[in-house]
Amino acid sequence: MLQPMSAAKPPAAPARALDLLIVGAGFGGLYMLHKARSMGLQALVLEAAPSVGGTWYHNRYPGARVDIQSMEYSYSFDEALQQEWRWTERYAGQPELLRYANHVADRFGLRDGILFDTRMQGAAFDEAAQQWVVRAADGRQWRTRFLVMASGPLSSPNRPDFPGLRDFAGPVFHTADWPHEPVDFSGQRVAVVGTGSSAVQAIPIIAQQAGELTVFQRTAAYAAPARNAPLDPDFEARIKADYANFRARNRRMHGGFGNLLPPNPVSALAATPAQREAAFEERWQVGGFAILGAFNDLLTSLESNALLAEFVRGKIRGTVSDAATAALLSPTHTIGCKRLCVDSGYYETFNRPNVRLVDVSQRPIERFDARGLHTGGRHHDFDALVLATGFDAMTGTMLRLDLRGRAGLSIQDKWRAGPLNYLGLGIAGFPNLFNIAGPGSTSAFTNVIVAIEHHVDWIAECIAHIDAQGHGTIEATEAAEAAWTEHVNAAARRTVFLSCNSWYLGANIPGKPRMFMPLADGFPRYADHCATVARKGYEGFVLQ
Ligand code: N01
């Protein structure tokens, strides 16, 4: 239901009218800008940071690296780009990914369409003019027909409200907001809070530098070895010889990647123990997410999932020499329910004499003071603190905005019970607003560049259709939105993803409504669904 509120009156003096205003100059915003320009549309990007790259601009903590192979985690929209760009490693590190984003911005002449250091503060839909009026934090404003949120599903760092944290005398870093100057932990006592994907990558590197490292773990993490290596030139040449088809095959994969080693189409329960062990071991040696494809039901059957979980716990026991530490590092939840981490020497790091693990699962961090923190009846002293505590994922960035749709409906009211949307792309009450890789789409479960390219292409086609038909607005219906929300929930119920507390569910943020946010239905099915909607004249949307 639309809830009329005291409508924020749209400001009267628009600086200029755009076809498209895009929020964010990460991989989503860059491609959206390029696409819009190729269609002759007037587009502008607002970017809060001083440069492009989004996630890869901010997440520059030690060890930051993509967990999908570089040859797959890259744009496919331009043949010359994908042929000419050379990755140096199997899994690109953050500096290389940032160079790639900068290369794309330069290659396609995108910088003059981006306002850097410009944080969007809010936007209101002017119903009479059928335009969005978008405000930046510095007071500048723009009128635009379409508003595209390319602000990323993981772009608002989660900083837990630990009592006394402000009293801590040393430096405090967050993995998602890492300084641009080198951080030197040499000889220092460092504490890391959190053991998700960011921590799992940072911990082995920090441990090599720090005098002492203490890791505060609330939930143990499953990590599969990345087996990162310099990119094999023969492998690269093989893929590039047939890159378009390689990309097309990936778009038919559940996660938009992995066609080199497709999932085994057999249930783990149909295999003998020896066959299972062999299949797990083979994929463990390949590394990365390959292990989740060892059988076809590891993320849908709790029984099959438990077999893989035990296999990985066996690896942890075989790696970590101290039995008590190995036990603490061994997760008990379903594997893959929180995103599987991909590591380079994570468990091995706990064999180092300068690394300690502190369990805060039963007795949480109580308070900080100038010297460190207090938990479990004892004080831990350290010189520097790293928060690897993740993100207010999928909705955090949108909910920090003063975003108002029809009749002044705020996004906070609209999403009070969770991020209602249709196809992940549109929101009833918020006409002409599109969301790239947000809740309700397969974003979090997909090679995100595949997800981004798909969304950008769909949005571009949709705008072309609207313009060709002479319409002014497109808006999801509440009925379509309700049906889509049920579709997203039903897809999650067919998996193991509801069996643990994860950011997919909003469970990592105190007070956040519990709603399973990404679509666990697989990218090909989702893309087919979006294509069908378009083919049927944008069924579920109202075009006026
Ligand atoms: O964040 P997380 P992340 N007290 O939410 C703990 C992507 N990514 O930045 O599990 C104590 O996973 C929290 O504990 P718990 C990827 O999609 C990709 O690591 O909530 N601990 C958890 O251990 C990933 O899933 C890459 O019990 C607290 C940790 O902090 C997503 O980003 C690399 C706490 C947060 O883990 C997020 O990953 C990095 C508290 N109050 C990230 N609050 C690659 O491509 C939170 N924690 C490889």
Side-chain angles (χ1 to χ4, degrees):
M1 270 285 290
L2 293 183
Q3 299 165 29
M5 295 191 31
S6 55
K9 203 160 174 257
R16 38 191 142 144
L18 299 161
D19 293 311
L20 211 66
L21 189 140
I22 301 156
V23 183
F27 284 132
L30 289 178
Y31 180 42
M32 189 75 248
L33 176 61
H34 174 65
K35 186 83 185 183
R37 284 180 159 184
S38 73
M39 296 163 69
L41 298 172
Q42 277 286 340
L44 177 72
V45 178
L46 304 188
E47 169 56 61
S51 191
V52 299
T55 285
W56 301 108
Y57 178 85
H58 295 286
N59 289 263
R60 46 181 81 210
Y61 58 84
R65 176 177 301 288
V66 66
D67 56 6
I68 290 175
Q69 293 193 46
S70 321
M71 293 300 292
E72 307 185 277
Y73 186 88
S74 44
Y75 287 125
S76 71
F77 70 83
D78 187 88
E79 178 63 12
L81 168 67
Q82 67 180 5
Q83 288 296 336
E84 288 164 28
W85 180 263
R86 305 285 312 268
W87 296 106
T88 63
E89 292 178 277
R90 189 174 180 217
Y91 294 94
Q94 175 272 336
E96 191 168 20
L97 285 154
L98 191 55
R99 279 200 297 281
Y100 178 68
N102 277 281
H103 171 80
V104 169
D106 292 334
R107 184 179 187 117
F108 297 102
L110 300 177
R111 286 186 203 274
D112 63 358
I114 306 170
L115 288 178
F116 294 107
D117 295 308
T118 305
R119 179 174 289 282
M120 175 191 181
Q121 188 186 56
F125 189 67
D126 176 346
E127 297 190 49
Q130 299 190 332
Q131 289 174 344
W132 281 95
V133 183
V134 182
R135 289 187 319 281
D138 62 10
R140 278 179 295 171
Q141 59 185 36
W142 298 264
R143 281 186 173 264
T144 179
R145 293 164 57 214
F146 298 97
L147 177 58
V148 179
M149 299 304 299
S151 44
L154 295 162
S155 47
S156 288
N158 169 36
R159 298 172 195 278
D161 189 16
F162 293 117
L165 182 54
R166 286 213 188 111
D167 301 334
F168 178 61
V172 180
F173 306 97
H174 194 294
T175 45
D177 190 13
W178 200 260
H180 290 230
E181 313 72 53
V183 176
D184 185 3
F185 290 124
S186 300
Q188 295 193 13
R189 296 165 304 171
V190 180
V192 173
V193 177
T195 51
S197 299
S198 302
V200 159
Q201 291 187 324
I203 283 167
I205 313 281
I206 296 175
Q208 286 166 25
Q209 210 184 53
E212 286 172 25
L213 172 63
T214 309
V215 176
F216 295 90
Q217 169 187 282
R218 187 165 70 180
T219 308
Y222 291 102
R227 308 212 185 278
N228 188 34
L231 191 64
D232 173 359
D234 292 338
F235 172 75
E236 180 189 2
R238 260 201 331 275
I239 289 179
K240 286 189 171 176
D242 188 29
Y243 222 158
N245 283 320
F246 177 83
R247 301 288 199 183
R249 285 195 297 277
N250 262 355
R251 283 191 282 269
R252 290 194 292 273
M253 301 299 292
H254 190 87
F257 69 103
N259 80 77
L260 290 165
L261 181 60
N264 177 3
V266 174
S267 162
L269 305 176
T272 64
Q275 287 167 333
R276 256 192 319 260
E277 187 71 13
F280 288 152
E281 185 59 38
E282 188 192 336
R283 297 216 174 208
W284 185 259
Q285 293 309 324
V286 170
F289 290 114
I291 189 92
L292 295 177
F295 294 98
N296 68 359
D297 55 353
L298 296 170
L299 294 177
T300 51
S301 153
L302 288 172
E303 213 181 324
S304 297
N305 186 285
L307 296 166
L308 176 59
E310 186 46 32
F311 172 83
V312 177
R313 283 191 291 266
K315 290 292 182 189
I316 298 171
R317 287 191 294 271
T319 305
V320 179
S321 25
D322 176 61
T325 306
L328 267 187
L329 284 169
S330 296
T332 51
H333 57 277
T334 35
I335 182 168
C337 178
K338 288 168 182 277
R339 185 178 167 103
L340 180 68
C341 302
V342 176
D343 80 300
S344 298
Y346 174 64
Y347 298 120
E348 291 84 340
T349 297
F350 292 90
N351 291 334
R352 296 178 65 104
N354 66 332
V355 176
R356 275 188 321 132
L357 182 65
V358 176
D359 174 27
V360 293
S361 63
Q362 304 307 315
R363 298 206 276 176
I365 294 170
E366 284 162 36
R367 63 177 184 279
F368 282 78
D369 57 26
R371 294 183 298 112
L373 67 77
H374 202 84
T375 178
R378 69 163 285 210
H379 194 274
H380 299 267
D381 282 10
F382 42 85
D383 307 309
L385 170 66
V386 175
L387 296 175
T389 44
F391 301 87
D392 184 350
M394 309 217 89
T395 58
T397 302
M398 292 265 281
L399 289 173
R400 280 164 177 75
L401 299 174
D402 179 19
L403 189 61
R404 289 172 185 274
R406 283 195 197 280
L409 174 67
S410 73
I411 192 70
Q412 291 77 13
D413 278 344
K414 173 77 195 190
W415 281 2
R416 200 159 291 289
L420 299 180
N421 65 75
Y422 177 43
L423 301 180
L425 283 157
I427 305 171
F430 293 75
N432 289 10
L433 181 145
F434 297 108
N435 205 356
I436 294 183
S441 72
T442 58
S443 56
F445 295 130
T446 311
N447 174 352
V448 81
I449 299 194
V450 169
I452 282 168
E453 289 192 329
H454 167 252
H455 271 179
V456 168
D457 291 346
W458 192 96
I459 293 166
E461 242 181 68
C462 176
I463 292 175
H465 175 84
I466 290 168
D467 287 351
Q469 302 293 315
H471 294 301
T473 57
I474 180 166
E475 181 179 355
T477 67
E478 289 185 351
E481 195 173 68
W484 188 251
T485 302
E486 176 45 31
H487 179 77
V488 173
N489 286 334
R493 286 195 294 271
R494 292 192 294 272
T495 69
V496 301
F497 291 121
L498 298 177
S499 64
C500 76
N501 288 325
S502 68
W503 61 256
Y504 301 140
L505 257 177
N508 63 327
I509 303 293
K512 188 164 172 167
R514 297 260 171 150
M515 176 169 154
F516 197 79
M517 295 183 285
L519 173 64
D521 211 16
F523 176 75
R525 222 183 277 181
Y526 171 65
D528 280 352
H529 202 114
C530 293
T532 305
V533 165
R535 208 169 39 247
K536 292 188 174 170
Y538 295 89
E539 191 177 47
F541 290 95
V542 174
L543 287 88
Q544 285 179 337

